[in-house]
Amino acid sequence: MKLLALGAAAVAVAALGVLPGSASADELPTFDFTDCPAPPANADPGTWRCEAFVSQGKLTIHDREIPLGELRITFSEGRVNGQYAQVFGAMRHAPAPLPGIPGATIQVRYGGHSDFQSNDERRGEVDLYAVVQHPLLRKDCSIGTLAAPLHTVVHDDPAVPPRIISNDPRIAYFGVVDPDLALPATSGCGALGKLVDLRLGLPSAAGENTFQQTTYVQYKPL
C-alpha cells in the first residue's frame, strides 16, 4: 500500500484544501499525534504506524474560491493477519470565513468513511460534510450531512509533486486534487437556505468544482 502522500496512504481529506504552491515545503507545521488510534488487538507486530496530516486548501465552486485554512487528519495503518488495515483517528478543522456571506463560517467534518490506501486510480478517498454557521441560520445548516456526506476522491496534483522533506523523522509533502466533487444544495438552514445556495452557486454538479490540498505528513511507528 502506498501512503496518500507518497505511496503509503492517502488523505483525505478531508476536506477541502488550500491553493497549491501557497505554502513552502520548508515551513514545517507542528505535528500532533494525540489522536493516533491504537492498532487492533490482532495487529501484526511491528507493522503499524500513525500518520498525522496537516493540510491547507481551498474549495472552488464554479469560479468562487473558498479558502478553508488548516485541516488535520490522523489515522493508523498496518497489517492484520498479513492484510493491510487502517483505523481512523480524527479530523480537526476550525471554522473558516465563508466568502460572499458576511459573518458566516464553514467547517469541514468527517462523514464516517475513509480509505487512505492509494492505488493507480486515486490517492485516497474520504466522506465529509461542511457545516455553515451564521447567526441567522439554523444550527443544522450544512452542505451534505453525516447521513448523506460528500464523497471526495483525491488524485495527485501535478502542480505540487510529492517529495520527502525529512527521513528522521519521516516527513513528506505533496498536493492532491479532486476535480469531480459534486455539491448538493444546503440543508437544515431554515428560511435563508435558498439565499446561501444562491450566493455559493449550489447545487453544483461534478466537474464544476475543484477541491485542492497541499499536505505535510509525518509518520510515527506504533
Side-chain angles (χ1 to χ4, degrees), residues 31-32 36 50-51 65 79 113 115 122 129 153 156 163 173 188 194-195 200 220:
F31 296 95
D32 185 356
C36 287
C50 182
E51 302 178 17
E65 294 184 0
R79 293 190 174 274
H113 167 76
D115 183 354
R122 46 78 163 162
Y129 64 103
V153 180
D156 291 329
R163 68 185 246 197
Y173 177 72
K194 291 189 181 300
L195 177 59
L200 296 181
K220 178 183 178 181

Side-chain angles (χ1 to χ4, degrees), residues 174-192:
F174 62 99
V176 293
V177 58
D178 179 358
D180 299 312
L181 179 65
L183 297 171
T186 58
S187 63
C189 299
L192 296 180

Side-chain angles (χ1 to χ4, degrees), residues 80-92:
V80 174
N81 297 324
Q83 301 297 314
Y84 173 76
Q86 55 190 281
V87 181
F88 185 81
M91 173 181 290
R92 299 188 181 276

Side-chain angles (χ1 to χ4, degrees), residues 10-91:
V11 146
V13 311
L16 303 154
V18 130
L19 182 62
S22 65
S24 167
D26 298 323
E27 300 171 357
L28 293 180
T30 300
F31 296 95
D32 185 356
F33 292 92
T34 303
D35 292 324
C36 287
N42 58 342
D44 295 354
T47 66
W48 280 76
R49 66 182 179 183
C50 182
E51 302 178 17
F53 288 82
V54 183
S55 299
Q56 294 284 332
K58 70 173 182 179
L59 172 67
T60 302
I61 306 174
H62 302 285
D63 59 352
R64 181 185 299 276
E65 294 184 0
I66 303 175
L68 296 171
E70 182 178 276
L71 175 71
R72 291 176 176 259
I73 294 179
T74 308
F75 70 98
S76 297
E77 65 173 1
R79 293 190 174 274
V80 174
N81 297 324
Q83 301 297 314
Y84 173 76
Q86 55 190 281
V87 181
F88 185 81
M91 173 181 290

Side-chain angles (χ1 to χ4, degrees), residues 110-191:
Y110 181 56
H113 167 76
S114 61
D115 183 354
F116 299 134
Q117 184 176 20
S118 62
N119 55 38
D120 293 339
E121 297 180 356
R122 46 78 163 162
R123 279 294 178 183
E125 58 188 72
V126 62
D127 284 355
L128 313 166
Y129 64 103
V131 174
V132 177
Q133 297 175 318
H134 187 278
L136 298 180
L137 297 175
R138 292 174 54 185
K139 65 178 182 178
D140 295 329
C141 183
S142 64
I143 305 170
T145 65
L146 183 59
L150 313 175
H151 183 66
T152 179
V153 180
V154 295
H155 309 268
D156 291 329
D157 186 344
V160 189
R163 68 185 246 197
I164 297 297
I165 303 300
S166 168
N167 281 309
D168 188 18
R170 184 78 165 181
I171 299 173
Y173 177 72
F174 62 99
V176 293
V177 58
D178 179 358
D180 299 312
L181 179 65
L183 297 171
T186 58
S187 63
C189 299

